Amino acid sequence: MSDADHLVVFTPSGRRGNASTGTTVLDAARKLGVDIDSVCGGRGICGRCQVEPMYGEFAKHGITADASHLSSPGAVETSYRGRRPLTEGRRLSCSATICGDLVIDVPAASQVHQQVIRKDIDLGDIELDAVLVLRLVELAPGEDLLDALGRQWSLTGLEQAPGLDVTADGTGLATVAIRDDEQIVAAWPGLRDRVLGVAIDIGSTTLAGHLFDLATGTALATAGAMNPQIRFGEDLMSRVSYVMMNPGGEVELTAAVREALDALLGRLCEDGDATRDEILELVLVGNPIMHHLLLGLDPTPLGVAPFTLEISDAVDRTAVELGLEAHPAARVHVLPCIAGHVGADTAAVVLATRPHESEGVQLVVDIGTNAEIVLSGNGRTLAASSPTGPAFEGAQISSGQRATPGAIERVRIDPATGEPRIRILGVEPWSDEPGFDEAVRATGVTGICGSGIIEVVAEMYLAGLMTTDGVVGGPDTRPSPRIEPDGRTFAYVLHDSGDGNRILVTQNDVRAIQLAKAALYAGIRLLMDHLAVDRLDGIALAGAFGSHIDTVHATVLGLIPDCTPSEVMAVGNAAGAGAAIALLSGAARREIQVLVDDIEKIETAMEPAFQAHFVDAMAVPHRTADYPGLSTVLTLPERPAATAGGANERGRRRRRPTRESPREEVNK
Ligand code: FES
């Protein structure tokens, strides 16, 4: 190493090498493969290239450094007034030159492939791979843009979007946006250092959107809206029926969702202090019917077997084509659909939860009126959907309702007395705690939401008020004043306000829940058969409903197969997170397309084994399955041995819980 060579170490990457006196820190970094961000190309105006030199003795690196090892801030740095202030200790790496050995930290915001860790939307630990980058370029009079980019940025092979007009400012500078390292899609005079993107999960009930800074991965705003298609039908199939019965109905449904998406963009811009023309990239996901209606495709083939998708691969459209007001060059990327019942939203869930990379056999379930099921293990990934119906959303349940204020969301039943304790959505105290009556006065107790119905049926079983076959009351159950005749069957009185407002769990309610949970369980078991596995190592519950249910109760009910409770987790709005990941990473887009092509699609309706699994899964929790995982936190009531006599035979046997209060975990 000559006197003019200095040892430079960059953190956090740990890359190290020599640089000669007078080399800019940015050049030294690039030579060593350290990606430092830059829009202005080292002109000292974008502020993206900031680094933090560290002074002192670094025995680990064999470096002792002080401020004299870096040039003093010159005119460029002292006059810098860009959007990203130079905080104390920071330097512009394009200006500061090396005069001695140095340890230089590259802050996350200056890294090109920075890790994005968001709290408001859980993107996991993803690496940015921007699909759109900005480059400031100096255009000499009459100089060709592509030549200038080649000269100043070493960029070759680019093409300019047809009709794109590039105008420089008075000093000859212009900023261009380059998409997919291929095409110059937008240009502005002078420096432009921010472009935005939007990720939206189009649910059949709600639209959930996030606005991001594409360069940094920073979430600027989050907003939701109702899906206005609800006025054409509450659930997906009723919307398809609307289209079948009303020629041209798909046009109305398409217009409705596009209008709502456009309004959502407006809200996101307002909340994120941004303008629509800053948005150059959007990623949208939705189930197959939402996907087809968004794209203006006929959804009716998705309403009948064999549930054929008109388009399954990822598609790109312009925002203009979809009636969305954004930058005129804005692109909309729609993730691929997996199968006729398993859509782009599930592809996004896979991208966010990555079951294919986890150890062992991993199940991901997104529960709605259809449950989407993805199972990974032994190097394979399978997907299917199961028609759970709307029972978990409160429909078909006598006192069912959506999860809104007044809904019972938590239930515990004392097995000794059969007396329930309840908790109401948005109210802190339980019904047997001080302050409950005052707290519920405003809303009253209005019904049971999905999580509440799962808990009450599981608790009724654990308390011996319901048999494993789902029979409420009667000779095979524990007597309780809460069980009362209800026509030819019995019902459990979950709540009685004393003023005529009574909330019952009827035999029909239990049957509706048994049918829904058996459909889900049977779908899961079918995929386990295909994968030739008997046990699950982990379960991820996606979606709003999955995030809200108590996983132990869900296992007791037999909604999901047995798994160690600590390995069952709610993963929130994984579809929205997956859409955001695809927005921020071109690599993720390519990855999910390949993965979707490889996923084995199982059509549950076509499989004879589905019916057999369904029948066994009608029992609570299941006719024959064992529960070693669940038994680590509670003891299930003893189930009668399965016989060839079927459910009726089994229903005549007497069954009781083995312990009075076996449920530490459940009683929390
Ligand atoms: Fe733009 Fe340094 S690269 S300020």
Side-chain angles (χ1 to χ4, degrees):
M1 191 163 92
S2 78
D3 283 353
D5 278 344
H6 310 290
L7 178 60
V8 185
V9 175
F10 287 93
T11 62
S13 66
R15 292 196 182 242
R16 56 193 286 143
N18 295 333
S20 52
T21 302
T23 310
T24 65
V25 174
L26 183 61
D27 283 343
R30 289 194 171 153
K31 249 177 54 199
L32 293 173
V34 178
D35 280 335
I36 296 184
D37 202 6
S38 158
V39 168
C40 74
R43 290 178 177 79
I45 52 178
C46 72
R48 286 191 187 254
C49 66
Q50 296 184 22
V51 292
E52 204 162 313
M54 292 153 73
Y55 302 128
E57 200 181 321
F58 303 92
K60 180 174 149 204
H61 302 305
I63 288 177
T64 303
D66 61 38
S68 70
H69 290 200
L70 207 56
S71 62
S72 308
V76 170
E77 278 182 278
T78 47
S79 59
Y80 168 75
R81 297 286 177 271
R83 189 200 289 260
R84 295 172 180 74
L86 254 188
T87 49
E88 205 181 323
R90 294 266 176 100
R91 301 289 304 272
L92 293 181
S93 65
C94 63
S95 275
T97 58
I98 293 165
C99 315
D101 294 352
L102 280 166
V103 177
I104 294 175
D105 186 56
V106 183
S110 302
Q111 295 166 18
V112 175
H113 297 289
Q114 60 189 273
Q115 301 288 310
V116 179
I117 301 161
R118 300 246 57 82
K119 289 214 176 68
D120 42 357
I121 175 168
D122 185 7
L123 304 189
D125 197 2
I126 72 152
E127 196 173 84
L128 281 184
D129 177 35
V131 293
L132 206 102
V133 294
L134 294 174
R135 293 291 177 245
L136 184 74
V137 61
E138 190 169 357
L139 290 166
E143 188 180 18
D144 179 71
L145 172 66
L146 299 182
D147 290 346
L149 282 167
R151 187 167 52 79
Q152 294 164 44
W153 288 95
S154 307
L155 291 170
T156 53
L158 294 177
E159 63 168 45
Q160 191 166 334
L164 177 68
D165 187 26
V166 181
T167 316
D169 68 1
T171 63
L173 293 173
T175 305
V176 294
I178 301 167
R179 176 176 287 148
D180 299 333
D181 297 327
E182 277 175 0
Q183 195 180 40
I184 303 158
V185 294
W188 302 265
L191 174 69
R192 180 92 174 199
D193 69 347
R194 186 170 90 158
V195 272
L196 306 181
V198 171
I200 302 179
D201 173 24
I202 308 171
S204 46
T205 311
T206 53
L207 315 174
H210 303 274
L211 177 72
F212 285 91
D213 182 324
L214 288 177
T216 62
T218 309
L220 304 175
T222 294
M226 290 303 282
N227 186 334
Q229 291 177 340
I230 283 183
R231 68 174 181 267
F232 300 97
E234 272 272 320
D235 58 65
L236 289 169
M237 280 308 147
S238 53
R239 287 179 218 172
V240 174
S241 309
Y242 179 86
V243 173
M244 285 172 169
M245 292 161 67
N246 297 276
E250 72 274 19
V251 179
E252 286 177 84
L253 283 154
T254 296
V257 74
R258 289 182 180 177
E259 232 169 77
L261 288 170
D262 190 54
L264 187 59
L265 289 191
R267 279 260 317 275
L268 287 167
C269 286
E270 226 176 281
D271 295 354
D273 202 15
T275 56
R276 284 177 181 259
D277 69 353
E278 289 182 280
I279 299 172
L280 265 122
E281 195 73 21
L282 297 97
V283 169
L284 304 184
V285 300
N287 61 54
I289 291 169
M290 292 299 103
H291 168 278
H292 274 40
L293 287 170
L294 166 76
L295 294 173
L297 305 172
D298 178 10
T300 53
L302 297 169
V304 284
F307 312 107
T308 311
L309 289 160
E310 191 170 329
I311 297 179
S312 57
D313 283 352
V315 288
D316 288 338
R317 295 279 188 270
T318 66
V320 176
E321 282 175 90
L322 300 188
L324 305 177
E325 189 190 334
H327 188 283
R331 171 175 71 176
V332 179
H333 180 83
V334 184
L335 288 195
C337 285
I338 297 174
H341 269 323
V342 189
D345 51 350
T346 308
V349 168
V350 171
L351 200 47
T353 55
R354 316 191 70 74
H356 53 292
E357 282 181 352
S358 306
E359 294 270 303
V361 181
Q362 298 291 328
L363 172 72
V364 183
V365 193
D366 193 342
I367 306 165
T369 48
N370 252 328
E372 285 83 34
I373 308 163
V374 177
L375 186 69
S376 280
N378 306 333
R380 295 164 63 196
T381 299
L382 292 78
S385 80
S386 253
T388 43
F392 296 136
E393 291 176 356
Q396 302 170 341
I397 304 297
S398 58
S399 296
Q401 67 165 81
R402 283 191 190 276
T404 51
I408 298 172
E409 59 162 355
R410 295 269 172 265
V411 179
R412 299 291 180 269
I413 297 176
D414 184 333
T417 63
E419 281 302 300
R421 300 189 300 134
I422 58 173
R423 211 166 96 169
I424 309 299
L425 189 71
V427 171
E428 200 46 44
W430 284 77
S431 56
D432 60 345
E433 291 173 351
F436 175 79
D437 291 338
E438 300 79 68
V440 296
R441 200 158 288 145
T443 57
V445 181
T446 52
I448 321 173
C449 65
S451 62
I453 194 81
I454 284 175
E455 292 197 8
V456 72
V457 176
E459 286 279 323
M460 284 164 65
Y461 171 62
L462 290 172
L465 302 169
M466 185 190 90
T467 70
T468 191
D469 292 320
V471 176
V472 179
D476 291 337
T477 62
R478 184 185 296 275
S480 162
R482 289 264 171 180
I483 297 285
E484 60 178 44
D486 180 34
R488 295 169 61 184
T489 57
F490 292 93
Y492 177 70
V493 182
L494 176 59
H495 179 73
D496 189 341
S497 304
D499 58 1
N501 175 29
R502 281 155 52 87
I503 291 173
L504 306 182
V505 179
T506 67
Q507 185 62 68
N508 280 344
D509 295 341
V510 172
R511 285 284 176 253
I513 289 298
Q514 282 179 285
L515 289 168
K517 74 100 181 177
L520 174 57
Y521 192 103
I524 297 169
R525 272 307 316 188
L526 195 63
L527 293 199
M528 291 171 72
D529 287 354
H530 277 267
L531 206 56
V533 296
D534 245 352
R535 303 221 64 83
L536 300 172
D537 296 302
I539 301 177
L541 299 170
F545 180 68
S547 302
H548 217 67
I549 58 176
D550 177 274
T551 53
V552 172
H553 282 93
T555 315
V556 170
L557 181 66
L559 185 71
I560 46 176
D562 183 61
C563 190
T564 306
S566 60
E567 298 302 324
V568 184
M569 58 191 82
V571 291
N573 179 14
I581 291 167
L583 177 70
L584 298 173
S585 169
R589 292 184 194 187
R590 293 186 289 278
E591 180 195 6
I592 193 62
Q593 180 67 66
V594 172
L595 198 61
V596 164
D597 291 342
D598 286 349
I599 288 177
E600 298 167 48
K601 292 92 182 165
I602 309 296
E603 183 53 71
T604 49
M606 308 291 188
E607 300 259 351
F610 180 83
Q611 198 53 33
H613 283 311
F614 181 85
V615 170
D616 283 346
M618 279 292 286
V620 174
H622 188 272
R623 193 168 77 93
T624 53
D626 59 346
Y627 284 85
L630 189 60
S631 67
T632 60
V633 293
L634 60 79
T635 303
L636 283 170
E638 199 178 315
R639 286 170 290 162
T643 68
N648 289 340
E649 174 66 26
R650 293 190 306 278
R652 284 195 286 276
R653 293 161 173 243
R654 189 168 181 81
R655 51 195 72 81
R656 295 266 180 180
T658 51
R659 287 168 50 184
E660 293 291 72
S661 183
R663 298 165 292 135
E664 281 159 44
E665 189 70 21
V666 176
N667 279 327
K668 267 185 196 164

